[in-house]
C-alpha cells in the first residue's frame, strides 16, 4: 500500500540515523544568555553565522523560550536544532545543539558554567554579567571551545582565569577596565 | 535603577555587584530607550574622535575604548569602527590589552581580508611565543573565528603543538579543540599524518581534561577517517571501563555530583558510535560489561538528591542506550534499555519523560525491541492526554507513529484523531499527515479509511492538504467495494450545517461519480443530493464551485430526472454571466452539452472515471508543477505530437502516460478538460504563447554548453527518452536502453526548417579520463539534412568502470549562410547501469550496516526544488534505476532503494535512503555503496532530482 500524499515530517529522523551511524551533527551551535525582559546579555556562536541571521535567530528563539511556563521541560525542537535551556533567577541560559547531542549533559554544562560564574564573582547576579561581560566571556572560553567542552574541572577553569587576573594586576594598577569606564 | 533591585541571587547570597555601582552612572539602566541611544551615540562620537585624533593613544586608552565599543555592541547596537585599534592591541605585550583585542576580534570579526592578514600575523607570533597564556589566547581566537583563511594559515601548525612532548596540558586541550573547529569548517586544510596515531594515544593521558578534549577531536576525525582511528576503539573501551567502575571520589574534581566524569563518559560512548561493535571478543565483552554496569547503576538508589546528580547519571545512561541501539546486536541489552525507558515514561521529571519518549522512537525501529516498545502504548496515549507541555506531547505523537503497526493501528489512529481536536495549531498539519499515512498504510477495511479521512477534514479541515483529499478520492475510485459506503458517508457528513470546504470538494466529487449508488433511498434521492450540494455552492471558493459544476453535469448523466433542474441552475445569470471566466465557460459548455448531446454521447463523455494509474508519470507531474495547471494538457499534446513525428509514432515516453486520468492539481478532478466534446481548449492566443514558452526554454542553448543544458541533462537522469535540445532550427531527441554494463542510444536530429542543413557533423567528445571508463562507438551521419527531415544516429555504449563526467555532444552545420555550433551534455550517467535489487527489510539493514565505513557513505542535505510529492519521488527513484523497497524503512515517509551498478570490471552494490522533512522542505539523501566515487556520483545525480 502506498502512503497518502506528502510524507509527514519526522523530527526523530536525526535520532533514527544516529542509531545507524552518525554522519556528523553533534556539536553546540551557539549559547545565549538573556534576561526575562528579553535583553541579550551574552552570545557565543560556534558556527559562522551572518549578523542578520544571528539577530533573527536570537529574536525568534527568545520569543519561544520566554513564552514557556516554569514547569515545562528544558528541551525543545527549534528549526533543525535542539534547544536546551534553564532559567537562573532573572537570566535564561540557552544552548542550541545538533540532533545527536546529549540534552541532559548540555543541561549540566549550563549548570557548570553558572557554578563557575558564581564561584568567580561570588554569588553572581545579572549585573555582574552586564558589567563584567569580558570576564563572563573569558570564563566561557576557558570552559568551552569551538562548541566542545574544554575542561570539566571547576578547579582547572578557575585556575586559568585567576592566572590571567594575576597577569592583569602585574600589568597595571588595580583599577578595573570597567571602573575606568564608569569614570569616563 | 529600579531594575537593579529586582535581581536576586542565583545560587548564593544576594550581594550587589561591587564594580557595578559606578557603572550605573555611565550606563543608564532602566531609563528609556531614547535616553540609552542618546547616551550611546554621544559616547560613540567621543570614541571616534579619540581614534581619529592627532595624539597617538597609548595602549591603555586604546584598550579602554575598544572595551567600551564591545560593551556597546553587546548591548545590541551596531559597531562599524575600532577594528584596526583592536588589531593593534593584539601585538601588545600586556596581557590585558592583548586579551581585549582578541575578545573584540572574536566577537566582532568581519571578513576584511586586510585585517585577517594582520590578525593572522599576531596569532603566528603568539603561537611561537612559547608563553602558554599567549598561546591559549591565540588558539581561542582561531577557534572563535574559524574562517578558511585561518584554517589555511594554521591547520598545519596546530597538530604539531598538539602532539609536541613539551606542550602544557592546558595548551594541548586548546589545540585539540581548535583543530577540531578548523576540521569542521575546512577539512581539506587539515592534513592527516603521523600525528594522528599520537592523538589516539591521548586517550591514555593522565590528565582527564586532555582526554576529554582529545575524545571530541577523535570522534569527529573518526567519522571521516575510520580506518585511521580504528585503534581508538579499544582505548576508549578501557578508558570507559575504568571510569564506570571507579568509586565516585576517585576522579576528584572530574567527579560531578557523585558521578565520575560524566562528560568524558558521554563523549567516549559517542566515539564508540562511529564504529560497529568491536570485533575483538575481549574488547566486546568489556564494553558489554560497561553498558550493563551503566544500566545497573540506574537501578541503584541515588547518591544525592540534587537534580544535577540524576541528570549527569542519566546523561550517561541515555548515551549508553544510544550506543546499544546503534549496535543493534544484543537483544538482551535492547530489551533492558526499553524497560529502563519504560520506567522513565512515568517519571516525575518532565525532562526524563521527554527523553524517554524520544529515545523509544528509535528503539521502535529495531526488530528486537519493537514488541517491547509496543507494550507501553497505554502510557504513551496517556501522555498525549495529560502532558501539559506541548513539546512532550509532540514526542508522544512521534512515538505512537513509530510504534504503529497492523495490530494497533486502529487504536493509535483513533487516539491521534482524538488529540487533534485540541492539538496545538503548530503541530496539526503534521498530525493530519501522520493520521492519513497510517490510515492508508494499515487499512484492512476501507470503510475505516474513508471514515478516518472524513473525520480529519471535519476536525482539522484547514490542515488537510490537497494531497490528502486527492488521495481519498483516488482510493475510492480504485476500490469498488467502498464506493457505496463513501457516497453514503459523505452524504451524511454534508448534512452538517457548517462543513469544511474540503468536505464539499470530496463530497461533490464522490457523489458526482457514485451518487447513483445511494439514490435508491428516498432520503438521498437525486434531487435531495443535488439540493444539498447546491446549498453549499454559494459559500465556496471559485475552484470548488468549478468542481461542483462538473458534479452537476455528471448528475445530468446519472439522473436524467433532474436534468431540467440542473439546466435551470446552469442557465441562471449568476452562472452564465459569472465574472469568473472559468465558471462562466463551464456553465456555458455544460449547459450546451446537456441540451444538444444524445443520451449515448452524454453517457460516454460523462462515464465513470477509470481507475487511477498506480503511479503518476514523473515528467508530467513535474511539468504540471512548473507550468501550472490548465496549460499542461496543451503543452503535453504539443510535445506528444513532436515526439511521435520524430520517432515515427512509436514513441512511448512517460510523457504520453494517460494525461486525462492522472489527477491534476486543479479543481478539475473530473478530467473533463480532456473530453473531446466539451472542447474547453484555451483560446488560440494562449496556445501561441505556449509554443513560445517551449522555444524560449531552450532557445539560448547554443555552444559551448549553453545555460539550460544542465537542466535538460538533469531531466534525463531518471528517464531515457525525450527531447534533449530544441531551438528554432534543430530538435534533438533521445531514445535509449541499457542492460547491465551495455547501452544503446538513438539520437534523432530533426530539421525544423524548410531549408537544408549542410555539413551536418555531430561529434561525441569525451575527456581522456572519461574515455578510459566509458566506451562510445558511433558512425557518422549523412552530412545533409533535408528541410523537415530527421536523421538518426546510434551510439553503442559500454561502461568499463564507474565515471563522474558526461560526454559532450557537439553539432556543427551550415544553415542558410550561417555556421551553427551547438554543444549539449549527453545524458549517459552512471545510474543508467543500475540493476534493481529487491530485498527484505532485514537484509537491507544488514547490508546498510556492513557499508558503515564513512568513505562508503555520501550524504547530502538539500532544499526541495520541487513540491514534495510522494508519488513523484517514488517514480523518480525507480526511474533512477534502483529498486524501490517498500516497508523497509521503519518510517514510512522515507524512501529506500537498492541496486547494483554494472561495469565491465566490477559490480557495485548500492543502497540509498531519502528522508524528506516536510516542515523544513528539505531532504536528506544518503548513499552507501562499496565504492567512494560511486556513492559520490550517485548522490550528486540524485540530489538534483527533487
Amino acid at each position: 500500500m502506498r502512503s497518502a500524499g506528502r510524507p509527514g515530517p519526522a523530527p526523530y529522523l536525526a535520532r533514527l540515523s544516529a542509531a545507524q551511524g552518525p554522519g556528523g551533527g553533534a556539536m553546540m551551535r551557539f549559547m545565549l544568555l538573556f534576561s526575562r525582559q528579553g535583553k541579550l546579555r551574552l552570545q557565543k556562536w560556534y558556527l559562522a553565522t551572518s549578523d542578520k541571521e544571528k539577530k533573527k535567530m536570537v529574536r525568534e528563539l527568545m520569543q519561544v523560550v520566554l513564552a514557556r511556563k516554569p514547569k515545562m521541560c528544558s528541551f525543545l525542537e527549534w528549526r533543525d536544532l535542539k534547544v536546551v535551556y534553564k532559567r537562573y533567577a532573572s537570566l535564561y541560559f540557552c544552548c542550541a545543539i545538533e540532533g545527536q547531542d546529549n540534552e541532559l549533559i548540555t543541561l549540566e554544562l549550563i549548570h557548570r558554567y553558572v557554578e563557575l560564574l558564581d564561584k568567580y564573582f561570588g554569588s553572581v547576579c545579572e549585573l555582574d554579567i552586564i558589567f563584567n561581560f569580558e570576564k563572563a566571556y573569558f570564563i566561557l572560553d576557558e570552559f568551552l571551545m569551538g562548541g566542545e567542552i574544554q575542561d570539566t574541572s571547576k578547579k582547572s577553569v578557575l585556575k586559568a582565569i585567576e592566572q590571567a587576573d594575576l597577569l592583569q594586576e602585574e600589568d597595571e594598577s588595580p583599577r578595573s577596565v570597567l571602573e575606568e569606564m564608569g569614570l569616563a | 535603577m529600579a531594575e537593579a533591585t529586582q535581581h536576586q541571587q542565583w545560587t548564593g547570597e544576594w550581594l550587589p555587584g561591587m564594580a557595578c555601582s559606578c557603572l550605573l552612572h555611565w550606563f543608564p539602566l532602566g531609563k528609556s530607550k531614547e535616553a540609552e541611544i542618546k547616551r550611546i551615540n554621544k559616547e560613540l562620537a567621543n570614541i571616534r574622535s579619540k581614534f581619529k585624533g592627532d595624539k597617538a593613544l597609548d595602549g591603555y586608552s586604546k584598550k579602554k575604548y575598544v572595551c567600551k565599543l564591545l560593551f556597546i555592541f553587546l548591548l545590541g547596537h551596531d559597531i562599524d569602527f575600532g577594528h584596526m585599534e583592536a588589531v593593534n592591541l593584539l601585538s601588545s605585550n600586556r596581557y590585558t590589552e592583548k586579551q581585549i583585542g582578541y575578545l573584540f576580534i572574536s566577537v566582532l570579526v568581519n571578513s576584511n581580508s586586510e585585517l585577517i592578514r594582520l590578525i593572522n600575523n599576531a596569532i603566528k607570533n603568539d603561537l611561537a611565543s612559547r608563553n602558554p597564556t599567549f598561546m591559549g589566547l591565540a588558539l581561542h581566537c582561531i577557534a572563535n573565528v574559524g574562517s578558511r583563511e585561518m584554517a589555511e594559515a594554521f591547520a598545519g601548525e596546530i597538530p604539531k603543538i598538539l602532539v609536541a612532548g613539551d606542550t602544557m596540558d592546558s595548551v594541548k586541550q586548546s589545540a585539540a579543540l581548535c583543530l577540531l573547529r578548523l576540521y569542521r569548517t575546512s577539512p581539506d586544510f587539515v592534513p592527516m599524518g603521523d600525528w594522528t596515531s599520537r592523538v589516539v594515544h591521548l586517550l591514555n593521558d593522565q590528565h582527564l581534561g586532555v582526554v576529554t578534549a582529545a575524545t571530541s577531536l577523535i570522534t569527529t576525525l573518526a567519522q571521516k577517517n575510520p580506518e585511521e582511528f580504528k585503534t581508538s576503539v579499544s582505548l576508549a573501551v578501557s578508558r570507559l571501563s575504568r571510569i564506570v567502575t571507579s568509586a565516585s571520589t576517585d576522579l576528584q574534581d572530574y567527579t560531578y555530583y557523585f558521578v565520575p566524569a560524566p562528560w568524558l563518559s558521554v563523549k567516549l560512548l559517542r566515539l564508540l558510535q562511529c564504529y560497529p561493535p568491536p570485533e575483538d571478543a575481549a574488547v566486546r565483552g568489556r564494553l558489554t560489561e560497561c553498558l550493563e554496569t551503566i544500566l545497573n547503576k540506574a537501578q541503584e538508589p541515588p547518591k544525592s538528591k540534587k537534580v544535577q546528580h540524576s541528570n549527569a547519571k542519566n546523561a550517561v545512561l541515555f548515551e549508553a542506550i544510544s550506543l546499544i541501539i546503534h549496535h543493534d546486536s544484543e537483544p538482551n541489552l535492547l530489551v533492558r534499555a526499553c524497560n529502563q525507558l519504560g520506567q522513565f515514561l512515568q517519571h516525575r521529571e518532565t525532562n526524563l519523560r521527554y527523553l524517554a519518549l524520544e529515545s523509544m522512537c528509535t528503539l521502535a525501529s529495531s526488530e528486537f525491541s519493537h514488541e517491547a516498545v509496543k507494550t507501553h502504548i497505554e502510557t504513551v496515549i496517556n501522555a498525549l492526554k495529560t502532558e501539559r507541555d506541548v513539546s512532550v506531547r509532540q514526542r508522544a505523537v512521534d512515538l505512537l507513529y513509530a510504534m504503529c503497526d497492523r495490530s494497533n493501528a486502529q487504536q493509535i489512529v483513533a487516539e491521534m484523531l482524538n488529540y487533534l481536536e485540541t492539538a496545538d495549531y503548530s503541530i496539526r498539519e503534521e498530525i493530519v499527515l501522520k493520521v492519513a499515512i497510517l490510515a492508508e498504510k494499515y487499512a484492512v477495511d476501507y470503510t475505516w479509511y474513508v471514515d478516518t479521512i472524513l473525520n480529519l477534514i471535519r476536525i482539522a479541515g484547514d490542515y488537510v492538504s490537497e494531497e490528502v483529499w486527492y488521495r481519498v478520492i483516488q482510493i475510492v475510485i480504485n476500490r469498488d467495494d467502498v464506493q457505496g459506503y463513501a457516497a453514503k458517508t459523505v452524504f451524511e457528513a454534508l448534512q452538517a450545517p457548517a462543513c469544511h470546504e474540503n468536505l464539499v470538494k470530496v463530497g461533490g466529487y464522490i457523489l458526482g461519480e457514485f451518487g447513483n449508488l445511494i439514490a435508491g433511498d428516498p432520503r438521498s434521492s437525486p434531487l435531495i443530493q443535488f439540493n444539498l450540494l447546491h446549498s453549499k455552492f454559494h459559500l465556496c471558493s471559485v475552484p470548488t464551485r468549478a468542481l461542483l459544476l462538473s458534479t452537476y453535469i455528471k448528475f445530468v448523466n446519472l439522473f436524467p430526472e433532474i436534468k431540467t433542474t440542473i439546466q435551470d441552475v446552469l442557465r441562471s445569470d449568476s452562472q452564465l454571466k459569472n465574472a469568473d471566466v472559468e465558471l462562466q465557460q463551464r456553465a456555458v459548455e455544460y449547459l450546451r452539452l446537456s441540451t444538444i448531446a444524445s443520451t449515448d454521447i452524454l453517457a460516454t463523455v460523462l462515464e465513470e472515471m477509470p481507475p487511477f494509474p498506480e503511479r503518476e508519470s514523473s515528467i508530467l507531474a513535474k511539468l504540471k508543477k512548473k507550468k501550472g495547471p490548465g496549460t499542461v494538457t496543451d503543452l503535453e499534446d504539443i510535445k506528444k505530437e513532436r515526439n511521435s513525428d520524430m520517432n515515427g509514432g512509436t514513441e512511448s515516453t512517460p510523457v504520453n502516460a494517460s494525461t486525462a486520468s492522472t489527477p491534476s492539481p486543479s479543481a478539475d478532478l473530473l478530467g473533463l478538460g480532456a473530453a473531446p466534446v466539451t472542447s474547453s481548449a484555451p483560446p488560440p492566443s494562449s496556445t501561441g504563447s505556449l509554443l513560445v514558452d517551449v522555444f524560449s526554454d531552450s532557445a539560448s542553448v547554443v555552444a559551448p554548453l549553453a545555460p539550460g543544458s544542465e537542466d535538460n541533462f538533469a531531466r534525463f537522469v531518471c528517464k531515457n527518452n525525450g527531447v534533449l535540445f530544441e531551438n528554432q532550427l534543430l530538435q534533438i531527441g533521445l531514445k535509449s536502453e541499457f542492460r547491465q554494463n551495455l547501452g544503446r542510444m538513438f539520437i534523432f536530429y530533426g530539421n525544423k526548417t524548410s531549408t537544408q542543413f549542410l555539413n551536418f557533423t555531430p561529434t561525441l567528445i569525451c575527456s581522456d579520463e572519461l574515455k578510459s571508463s566509458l566506451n562510445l562507438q558511433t558512425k557518422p551521419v549523412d552530412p545533409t539534412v533535408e528541410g523537415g527531415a530527421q536523421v538518426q544516429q546510434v551510439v553503442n555504449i559500454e561502461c568499463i568502470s564507474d565515471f563522474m563526467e558526461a560526454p559532450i555532444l557537439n553539432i556543427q552545420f551550415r544553415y542558410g549562410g550561417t555556421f551553427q555550433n551547438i554543444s549539449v551534455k549527453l545524458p549517459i550517467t552512471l545510474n543508467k547501469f543500475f540493476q534493481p535489487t529487491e530485498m527484505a527489510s532485514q537484509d537491507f539493514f544488514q547490508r546498510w550496516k556492513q557499508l558503515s565505513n564513512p568513505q562508503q557513505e555520501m550524504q547530502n542535505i538539500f532544499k526541495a526544488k520541487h513540491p514534495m510529492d510522494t508519488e513523484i519521488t517514488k517514480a523518480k527513484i525507480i526511474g533512477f534505476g534502483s529498486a524501490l523497497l517498500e516497508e523497509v524503512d521503519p518510517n514510512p515517509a522515507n524512501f529506500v532503494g537498492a541496486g547494483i551498478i554494472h561495469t565491465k570490471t566490477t559490480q557495485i552494490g548500492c543502497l540509498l535512503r531519502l528522508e524528506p522533512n516536510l516542515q523544513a522542505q528539505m531532504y536528506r539523501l544518503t548513499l552507501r555503496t562499496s565504492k567512494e566515487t560511486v556513492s559520490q556520483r550517485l548522490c550528486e545525480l540524485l540530489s538534483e532530482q527533487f
Side-chain angles (χ1 to χ4, degrees), chain B residues 351-425:
Chain B
N351 287 344
L352 287 181
R353 294 198 302 275
Y354 176 97
L355 293 175
L357 288 166
E358 186 184 62
S359 202
M360 264 206 184
C361 265
T362 42
L363 268 180
S365 60
S366 162
E367 53 174 317
F368 298 118
S369 47
H370 183 80
E371 287 304 316
V373 170
K374 272 169 62 187
T375 60
H376 298 287
I377 185 166
E378 295 303 333
T379 318
V380 182
I381 286 172
N382 196 39
L384 198 58
K385 288 176 176 159
T386 55
E387 284 291 349
R388 273 182 285 176
D389 185 344
V390 59
S391 41
V392 184
R393 291 198 298 269
Q394 169 90 54
R395 290 286 79 79
V397 172
D398 288 345
L399 179 52
L400 284 178
Y401 182 75
M403 67 163 70
C404 190
D405 61 21
R406 215 168 280 285
S407 71
N408 55 20
Q410 300 234 357
Q411 186 188 8
I412 285 178
V413 165
E415 290 298 343
M416 282 192 177
L417 275 174
N418 219 343
Y419 174 56
L420 189 56
E421 306 226 23
T422 52
D424 263 56
Y425 294 109

Side-chain angles (χ1 to χ4, degrees), chain B residues 623 626-627 631-643 655 686-701 707-708 712 715 723-732 752:
Chain B
L623 266 170
K626 249 192 187 160
K627 305 281 178 185
T631 63
V632 175
T633 326
D634 313 295
L635 191 66
E636 279 319 299
D637 289 341
I638 292 164
K639 289 225 160 185
K640 211 190 297 183
E641 275 168 36
R642 292 232 182 98
N643 285 348
V655 173
S686 81
T687 315
S689 67
L690 272 172
L691 276 165
V692 173
D693 284 350
V694 171
F695 292 152
S696 62
D697 262 358
S698 42
S700 53
V701 186
N712 277 350
R715 285 194 294 118
V723 177
L724 176 66
F725 170 84
E726 184 159 18
N727 66 8
Q728 282 91 337
L729 308 177
L730 175 71
Q731 186 195 51
I732 304 174
K752 291 170 61 181

Side-chain angles (χ1 to χ4, degrees), chain B residues 26 28 32 63 113 137 208 223 233 280 292 335 361 367 383 587 616 679 725 763 783 792 817 824 845 930 943:
Chain B
W26 187 76
S32 71
K63 181 191 79 179
S113 59
L137 283 177
L208 280 189
Q223 280 167 8
V233 172
D280 182 324
E292 277 169 350
V335 171
C361 265
E367 53 174 317
E616 187 180 9
S679 70
F725 170 84
T763 324
Q792 172 189 320
V824 287
F845 282 109
S930 45
S943 296

Side-chain angles (χ1 to χ4, degrees), chain B residues 530-547:
Chain B
F530 173 74
N531 285 339
L532 178 61
L533 281 177
H534 199 53
S535 69
K536 316 281 181 195
F537 187 89
H538 302 280
L539 302 170
C540 290
S541 63
V542 169
T544 308
R545 282 198 239 173
L547 185 147

Side-chain angles (χ1 to χ4, degrees), chain B residues 16-90:
Chain B
M18 288 173 301
C20 312
S21 49
C22 38
L23 257 158
L24 292 177
H25 296 289
W26 187 76
F27 175 63
L29 259 188
K31 293 235 178 82
S32 71
K33 189 84 188 160
E34 290 76 33
E36 180 183 316
I37 290 173
K38 208 172 149 196
R39 182 76 191 83
I40 277 166
N41 283 339
K42 197 173 152 202
E43 192 59 37
L44 284 176
N46 177 36
I47 298 172
R48 207 185 292 265
S49 75
K50 294 280 190 220
F51 283 166
K52 279 195 184 150
D54 304 331
K55 210 177 81 190
L57 289 173
D58 61 12
Y60 178 78
S61 318
K62 225 182 264 173
K63 181 191 79 179
K64 184 174 76 180
Y65 293 123
V66 167
C67 193
K68 278 189 180 185
L69 284 179
L70 249 179
F71 184 74
I72 291 168
F73 174 77
L74 292 170
L75 287 174
H77 303 268
D78 290 330
I79 296 296
D80 56 1
F81 68 103
H83 300 80
M84 198 58 209
E85 285 73 13
V87 172
N88 284 341
L89 287 176
L90 298 184

Side-chain angles (χ1 to χ4, degrees), chain A residues 1-22 24 26-27 37 39-41 44 46-48 55 68 71-77 82 86 88-91 93 100 102-105 107-109 111-112 115 118 122-131 133-134 137-138 141-142 145-146 148-156 164 167-168 171-172 175 177-182 184, chain B residues 6-7 9-13 17 20 23-24 26 29 60 63-64 67-68 70-71 74 78 94-96 99 103 133 139-140 143-144 173-174 177-178 180-181 184 207 209 212 216 223 253-254 256-257 262-263 267 270 273 308 311 314-315 318-319 322 325-326 350-351 354-355 358 362 365 389 391 395 398 401 429-430 433-434 437 440 446 465 467 471 614 845 868 870-871 874 891 893-894 913 915-919 924 928:
Chain A
M1 191 78 279
R2 294 170 305 145
S3 59
R6 293 183 288 166
Y12 58 85
L13 274 183
R15 278 269 156 182
L16 194 68
S17 51
Q20 282 155 8
M27 68 174 283
Q37 289 79 19
K39 284 254 184 220
L40 188 61
R41 294 307 183 200
K44 189 81 193 177
Y46 295 111
L47 200 70
K55 276 188 181 161
R68 290 177 64 86
K71 290 280 171 196
M72 283 187 168
C73 94
S74 314
F75 320 123
L76 54 111
E77 273 179 6
K82 290 193 292 198
K86 188 161 181 179
Y88 288 86
S90 60
L91 268 196
F93 288 68
Q100 297 166 25
N102 189 308
E103 292 97 337
L104 281 175
I105 207 74
L107 196 59
E108 289 320 297
L109 179 144
H111 187 77
R112 181 41 56 106
E115 282 183 352
D118 204 53
S123 294
V124 65
C125 73
E126 187 179 342
L127 286 182
D128 290 326
I129 291 179
I130 299 174
F131 294 112
F133 69 92
E134 86 285 21
Y137 275 95
F138 295 149
D141 270 353
E142 281 301 327
M145 186 171 183
E148 297 284 348
I149 198 149
Q150 177 161 229
D151 205 323
T152 63
S153 155
K154 210 156 40 170
K155 274 185 203 148
S156 304
L167 281 175
Q168 174 174 350
D171 270 2
E172 61 193 35
R175 49 183 186 172
V177 194
L178 289 151
E179 278 176 272
E180 192 55 38
M181 287 171 76
Chain B
Q6 282 173 16
H7 296 291
Q9 76 277 29
W10 290 341
T11 53
E13 295 292 301
C20 312
L23 257 158
L24 292 177
W26 187 76
L29 259 188
Y60 178 78
K63 181 191 79 179
K64 184 174 76 180
C67 193
K68 278 189 180 185
L70 249 179
F71 184 74
L74 292 170
D78 290 330
R94 284 169 179 268
Y95 176 74
T96 46
Q99 193 186 27
L103 181 60
T133 321
L139 288 168
H140 272 109
N144 278 324
Q173 287 167 270
S174 302
L177 295 179
C178 183
L180 166 56
R181 173 72 172 85
R184 276 197 178 124
H207 191 287
T212 310
S216 298
Q223 280 167 8
D253 209 29
Y254 289 90
Y256 179 84
Y257 290 86
W263 278 278
K267 285 191 181 300
R270 176 140 294 284
Q273 286 172 61
Q308 283 77 23
N311 279 350
N314 292 327
F318 275 107
E319 205 60 55
S322 284
I325 298 173
H326 168 71
T350 317
N351 287 344
Y354 176 97
L355 293 175
E358 186 184 62
T362 42
S365 60
D389 185 344
S391 41
R395 290 286 79 79
D398 288 345
Y401 182 75
E429 186 178 4
E430 195 186 316
L433 287 170
K434 285 186 165 154
I437 291 168
E440 181 179 340
Y446 277 87
S465 54
E467 290 87 340
R471 189 68 194 146
E614 275 304 290
F845 282 109
M868 297 173 81
T870 310
E871 294 315 314
K874 285 183 177 173
N891 177 356
N894 295 342
R913 183 164 192 229
E915 299 157 288
N917 181 338
L918 201 65
Q919 218 161 32
R924 176 162 70 184
R928 287 192 179 183

